Amino acid sequence: MGIKGLRQAVAAHMREGHVKEIAGKTVVCDGHAWLHKAAFGCAFDIAMGKPTDKYIEYCMHLVNMLKFYGVTPIIVLDGRSLPGKARVNSERNARRESQRALGMELLRRGDRSGALKCLQQSIHVTAEMAHAFHARLQSEKVTCIVSPYEADAQMSYMVRKGMAQAVISEDSDMVPFGVDMILYKMDTSGSCCIFENKPLGEGNKKSMDVSKLSGDARIHMCILAGCDYLQSIPGIGIQKAYGLIREHGDGKKAIEALRKHPKMKEKVPDGYEDAFERAEKLFKHQWVYDMEERKLVNMTQVPED
DNA sequence: AGCTAGTACTCAG
DNA sequence: GTACTAGCT
């Protein structure tokens, strides 16, 4: 999904690190992100329809590297995409198609390196690629979960249920979903950037400190800043949203304050309060798969009333 | 200072 | 999905 500017905004919580720091722990990994990166390495073969398993070897290298450092990986693969993402998905498809056409044209003209760049932009992870990876993981006895919808929600649910202690991802949504340890930008040697949700020291007074926010407040901040479920009020990004939540405590009170603000009140759209509530519900109650109960459940339980 | 929108990019020797 | 940045408020 993605919250604009969030990764940059939580930079003070991040540091250079290595997977060996979580030796002995279990980590949930975003398999789709791995496949997408891996596909770049064999973009030519994939675009030409030539059978290859190079991308699987790349992903398995990551799996084996984690095991080498004593980390137990669980791979999560994407299920269906949410209906609300149809527009952004079709935009991406159109871009991929045009890049593919351009790549083939450059190839006919003999511009092999130019063609490769375009063909790399045309790559997307197909269901067949995901299936092939899934089958390989099963044959190697690596736990693999297919999430009903978005992988982010599934991964954070598994951490909250105690099945894992960290997440390997490229996605900023792990922060509002409340994951306390996130490994970003992991390379084939295990180096990575590590996000930790813990109080910042005295030297970071001016930085955003997400450990100062409750779980709900973190989600409220991200909705205010603009997410897939709700566009932000014009002029409000991640920094303003953080300031508002810190000042007023929660989203509802922050919007009340904006409604009274002389310069901001005309920018708050009609019905924003209701849209905000809907977004919060969509955020919190996404469908995920529960491995113990072997059924779909809401990521956080829907209240009775 | 912070928000927006546009461009460029994810492999690996 | 990401990072970076010029230009605007």
Side-chain angles (χ1 to χ4, degrees), chain A residues 1 28-33 75-82 85 145-158 167-169 171 173-174 177 179 286-288 299:
Chain A
M1 186 158 71
V28 208
C29 310
D30 183 345
H32 189 271
I75 314 302
V76 170
L77 291 169
D78 271 308
R80 293 160 47 180
S81 66
L82 293 167
K85 298 186 85 174
I145 306 290
V146 177
S147 62
Y149 290 98
E150 300 218 320
D152 329 343
Q154 181 71 40
M155 293 192 290
S156 64
Y157 181 76
M158 290 166 73
V167 162
I168 297 175
S169 173
D171 195 330
D173 282 352
M174 288 304 125
F177 281 145
V179 178
Q286 296 194 53
W287 290 107
V288 295
M299 183 173 70

Side-chain angles (χ1 to χ4, degrees), chain A residues 264-283:
Chain A
M264 288 304 294
K265 61 181 177 188
E266 66 235 39
K267 292 186 178 174
V268 183
D270 290 341
Y272 186 74
E273 287 82 352
D274 290 343
F276 189 95
E277 264 190 59
R278 277 199 302 278
E280 182 177 2
K281 283 175 185 153
L282 288 168
F283 226 116

Side-chain angles (χ1 to χ4, degrees), chain A residues 2-7 9 172 222 225-227 230-232 236-238:
Chain A
I3 311 297
K4 289 161 284 178
L6 181 58
R7 284 270 293 273
S172 62
C222 290
C227 62
L230 183 61
Q231 269 203 315
S232 71
I236 300 213
I238 194 70

Side-chain angles (χ1 to χ4, degrees), chain A residues 250-271:
Chain A
D250 64 40
K252 193 172 179 180
K253 287 177 189 150
I255 300 166
E256 274 176 31
L258 288 170
R259 286 266 186 223
K260 289 175 187 157
H261 192 283
K263 284 208 168 65
M264 288 304 294
K265 61 181 177 188
E266 66 235 39
K267 292 186 178 174
V268 183
D270 290 341

Side-chain angles (χ1 to χ4, degrees), chain A residues 87-126:
Chain A
R87 192 179 58 82
V88 64
N89 281 336
S90 75
E91 277 170 12
R92 283 178 184 169
N93 271 329
R95 183 183 143 74
R96 280 195 288 262
E97 273 312 304
S98 70
Q99 289 293 313
R100 179 183 160 79
L102 185 56
M104 296 310 244
E105 175 60 26
L106 289 175
L107 200 57
R108 272 196 293 278
R109 292 189 205 161
D111 180 0
R112 208 178 159 79
S113 70
L116 180 59
K117 276 192 174 173
C118 293
L119 293 176
Q120 283 179 328
Q121 302 302 310
S122 81
I123 291 302
H124 79 289
V125 177
T126 63

Side-chain angles (χ1 to χ4, degrees), chain A residues 44-93:
Chain A
F44 233 102
D45 292 340
I46 291 170
M48 295 302 167
K50 187 182 161 197
T52 178
D53 62 354
K54 250 173 84 181
Y55 64 92
I56 293 182
E57 294 309 322
Y58 172 83
C59 292
M60 292 312 296
H61 173 86
L62 296 180
V63 167
N64 291 324
M65 181 272 293
L66 288 168
K67 286 183 175 173
F68 175 83
Y69 287 111
V71 178
T72 304
I74 298 178
I75 314 302
V76 170
L77 291 169
D78 271 308
R80 293 160 47 180
S81 66
L82 293 167
K85 298 186 85 174
R87 192 179 58 82
V88 64
N89 281 336
S90 75
E91 277 170 12
R92 283 178 184 169
N93 271 329

